[in-house]
Amino acid sequence: MTDTARGTSRRYGTRPTMKDVAARAGVGLKTVSRVVNGEAGVTPDTERRVQEAISALGFRRNDSARILRKGRTASIGLVLEDLADPFYGPLSRAVEEVARSHGALLINGSSAEDPAREQELVLALCARRVDGLVIIPAGDDHRYLEPEITAGIATVFVDRPAGRIDADAVLCDNFGGARDAVAHLIAHGHRRIGFIGDQPRIHTARERLRGYRSAMAAAGLPVDESWVSLGSTAPERVRSAAAAMLDAPEPVTALFAGNNRVTVTAVRVLGAAPRAVALVGFDDFELADLVRPAVTVVAQDPALMGRTAAGLLFRRLDGITEPPHHTEIPTRLIPRGSGEIPPTEG
C-alpha cells in the first residue's frame, strides 16, 4: 500500500526534525539531542526508542547549529578547470583523501576555464562557509578573494599561481620540464622543432613556451615564429597549427605538445603524416604507452600536487601563520619511442 493510499503524502523538501523524533519516541527534546550527539545520561531502553524513531522517520542531524557554535564547517572547496580532464582526476582524489583524513567533506566544481565562472563558483563556496579552498585558477586577477582570505578562509592555488594577490601555490616545474623535453629532441638530432601550446594568458602555457625557447637558445638554434602556436586546445585548432608546421617549405621535424589534449590531437595528425615526425608531450595520458610509437612525455605528478596543496591548506587551518610561499613539484621525462625518432627531411 502506498503512502497516498494510507491517506498520507510526502512533501519533498520537508525533513523530519528532532521534535518529530521526540514525539514519536515519547521523550523530551533534550533526550533526543543527547542521543543524536552521542552524549551520556540516557538509559539503554530510552536510547533504543529514540534510535527506532530516528530510523522510522529517516531523521538526519542538521549540522548548522554545530557549525555556528564551532565556527568550522568541516568542508573545503575544490575549483577545477575541467572535471573531464584526466589530469584532474588523481589531483581531486588526493585532495579528497587528505580532506577525509581530517574529517572534512570535499565540494568541487568546474570553472570551465572561464574567469567569471571561477569567481562565481568560489564566492558561492565561500557563502556556504567552507573552511578553505583549493583553486586551479582560470583568471589572472584574484583580488576578489582578499575579503574572504582576511575573514579566515584558507586558500591554496594549484597548477597556476594566484593573480594580483600573494597566496600559497603548488606548481609543477613547467619551465624545467619543457626545457628538458626540447633538449631531448635536440639531443636526437632535431633542429626545427615546433611548439603547440595552450592559451597565452595561461601561466603554464607561458612557462612551457619559455622552457622551449630556453632549450633552443642554449643549443644555439634559432626559432622561426611559424614554429610556435599558442591558442585553443580544440582539435580543429591544433590540427591546423600542426598542418601549417608540417607543410611549410622547411617543415619541422619534431613537435613539442604543450599539454595532454594537444598531444592526443598531435598523435592523430602524425599518424596520418607521410613521414615520421618526432613528438614529446607535456603531461602523461592514458594509453600513451600503447600507441605506436609510444608517446614520450614529460610527466607531472598531479596526485602529489593535490596532496601537497591539501596538506598545506589544513596546516593553515590548524593555525600556521608563515608568509605565503610557492612549492614547485619536479617533472619527469619518460622516453617511450616517439621522442627518439631521428629527423627526416620532407
Side-chain angles (χ1 to χ4, degrees):
M1 182 179 293
T2 65
D3 285 342
T4 303
R6 293 189 185 101
T8 63
S9 62
R10 176 175 297 175
R11 280 185 59 201
Y12 291 101
T14 303
R15 300 174 180 176
T17 67
M18 284 203 292
K19 287 183 179 179
D20 298 325
V21 173
R24 186 179 183 100
V27 299
L29 189 60
K30 181 61 178 176
T31 299
V32 176
S33 176
R34 284 175 175 156
V35 172
V36 167
N37 293 298
E39 298 173 2
V42 181
T43 66
D45 181 64
T46 300
E47 182 176 1
R48 177 186 56 76
R49 292 201 327 256
V50 171
Q51 291 290 4
E52 287 175 351
I54 286 172
S55 178
L57 293 171
F59 171 80
R60 295 292 180 271
R61 183 176 67 185
N62 185 337
D63 282 339
S64 297
R66 296 174 72 246
I67 289 168
L68 291 173
R69 287 198 307 271
K70 297 185 176 182
R72 291 275 289 269
T73 64
S75 64
I76 64 170
L78 172 62
V79 178
L80 302 167
E81 175 207 346
D82 181 359
L83 292 172
D85 189 325
F87 173 80
Y88 296 118
L91 189 153
S92 177
R93 283 195 299 273
V95 173
E96 185 172 23
E97 287 168 4
V98 174
R100 185 178 179 184
S101 72
H102 285 81
L105 175 71
L106 178 68
I107 307 169
N108 62 27
S110 170
S111 70
E113 199 61 69
D114 180 348
R117 183 167 169 176
E118 172 209 300
Q119 180 173 342
E120 179 184 3
L121 178 57
V122 166
L123 293 179
L125 289 167
C126 291
R128 284 158 177 75
R129 302 191 65 183
V130 295
D131 298 319
L133 293 163
V134 175
I135 302 173
I136 291 91
D140 56 8
D141 186 349
H142 293 92
R143 288 176 294 176
Y144 71 85
L145 258 172
E146 286 180 328
E148 310 299 336
I149 293 172
T150 301
I153 294 182
T155 305
V156 178
F157 289 79
V158 183
D159 192 39
R160 309 165 188 172
R164 306 186 72 176
I165 65 171
D166 192 15
D168 291 316
V170 177
L171 315 171
C172 96
D173 184 7
N174 293 286
F175 170 79
R179 182 188 55 202
D180 291 346
V182 177
H184 184 74
L185 290 168
I186 293 169
H188 283 81
H190 295 277
R191 299 296 177 263
R192 299 195 302 273
I193 302 169
F195 172 62
I196 304 177
D198 209 333
Q199 304 277 3
R201 65 178 174 79
I202 297 174
H203 169 82
T204 52
R206 295 195 304 272
E207 283 296 287
R208 292 167 195 179
L209 174 59
R210 193 166 70 89
Y212 162 84
R213 292 190 184 279
S214 175
M216 295 291 279
L221 299 175
V223 174
D224 188 317
E225 291 308 312
S226 68
W227 300 346
V228 176
S229 179
L230 298 183
S232 164
T233 59
E236 298 78 12
R237 204 284 300 183
V238 174
R239 277 196 293 268
S240 176
M245 296 179 193
L246 296 174
D247 296 338
E250 287 192 308
V252 299
T253 62
L255 284 176
F256 171 45
N259 65 28
N260 53 8
R261 286 166 289 186
V262 175
T263 307
V264 169
T265 301
V267 168
R268 294 189 173 116
V269 171
L270 297 184
R275 59 188 172 85
V277 176
L279 172 67
V280 177
F282 203 111
D283 293 337
D284 207 355
F285 61 97
E286 192 173 5
L287 306 183
D289 58 335
L290 297 182
V291 298
R292 290 293 175 265
V295 183
T296 296
V297 297
V298 174
Q300 302 186 71
D301 191 339
L304 178 57
M305 293 172 70
R307 283 195 301 274
T308 303
L312 176 56
L313 185 78
F314 280 98
R315 287 198 297 277
R316 291 293 187 196
L317 290 172
D318 287 340
I320 291 178
T321 58
E322 62 190 34
H325 61 87
H326 290 185
T327 301
E328 192 170 81
I329 306 296
T331 59
R332 180 167 58 101
L333 181 71
I334 306 176
R336 292 192 179 119
S338 70
E340 294 70 56
I341 295 172
T344 58
E345 297 301 322

